[in-house]
Amino acid sequence: VQLVESGGGSVQAGGSLRLSCEVSGYTDRNYCMGWFRQAPGKEREGVAAINDDGDASYADSVKGRFTISKDNAKKTLYLQMNSLKPEDSAMYYCAAEVAVIGVDARTVVDGSGSEFSYWGQGTQVTVSS
């Protein structure tokens, strides 16, 4: 499974960005997918995750501002980010893992992504004040 992110960039606080993650390779399985981010000097943290059935979960810091979604026909995962804040600045990574017991959006979003086997290369998001 290969993941390729796009859509990052530089915006001012209050602005919006939409990240995309194109999925290719062996995808004939049910997957849990997520967005994670890592700022310089900080640990990687979960942002949002979505199960194969569409059940989504969010980190408290982004609830009400970010929306995760997926288009199965296009094999693409999205992250719509609104009302961006300087503290949202980070490298954003898309991740995927086969949906087995213990891999659920509600739990993985609170972690660092150790459950995930497949990762993209990342896309930078910079929010200026």
Side-chain angles (χ1 to χ4, degrees):
V1 175
Q2 292 80 46
L3 308 174
V4 179
E5 303 98 334
S6 61
S10 297
V11 296
Q12 290 191 330
S16 298
L17 284 172
R18 188 176 81 157
L19 306 184
S20 299
C21 173
E22 295 187 17
V23 183
S24 61
Y26 181 62
T27 58
D28 192 21
R29 302 281 298 273
N30 291 336
Y31 288 89
C32 176
M33 299 194 69
W35 288 97
F36 293 80
R37 67 186 182 187
Q38 188 168 22
K42 294 187 177 181
E43 292 187 356
R44 188 172 62 199
E45 62 178 2
V47 176
I50 188 167
N51 291 331
D52 198 75
D53 63 4
D55 186 26
S57 291
Y58 299 88
D60 289 342
S61 59
V62 306
K63 281 180 181 176
R65 300 188 297 122
F66 291 10
T67 303
I68 189 171
S69 62
K70 60 191 178 96
D71 185 326
N72 290 332
K74 295 182 178 180
K75 293 186 176 182
T76 302
L77 179 73
Y78 301 100
L79 184 69
Q80 178 66 44
M81 305 186 295
N82 298 328
S83 302
L84 282 162
K85 304 176 181 180
E87 51 264 43
D88 294 318
S89 297
M91 185 71 79
Y92 282 71
Y93 298 92
C94 170
E97 182 53 56
V98 175
V100 296
I101 293 176
V103 181
D104 184 274
R106 289 167 290 179
T107 55
V108 299
V109 76
D110 291 330
S112 63
S114 59
E115 303 90 344
F116 290 82
S117 299
Y118 306 103
W119 291 85
Q121 82 288 352
T123 186
Q124 180 69 40
V125 171
T126 303
V127 185
S128 58
S129 58

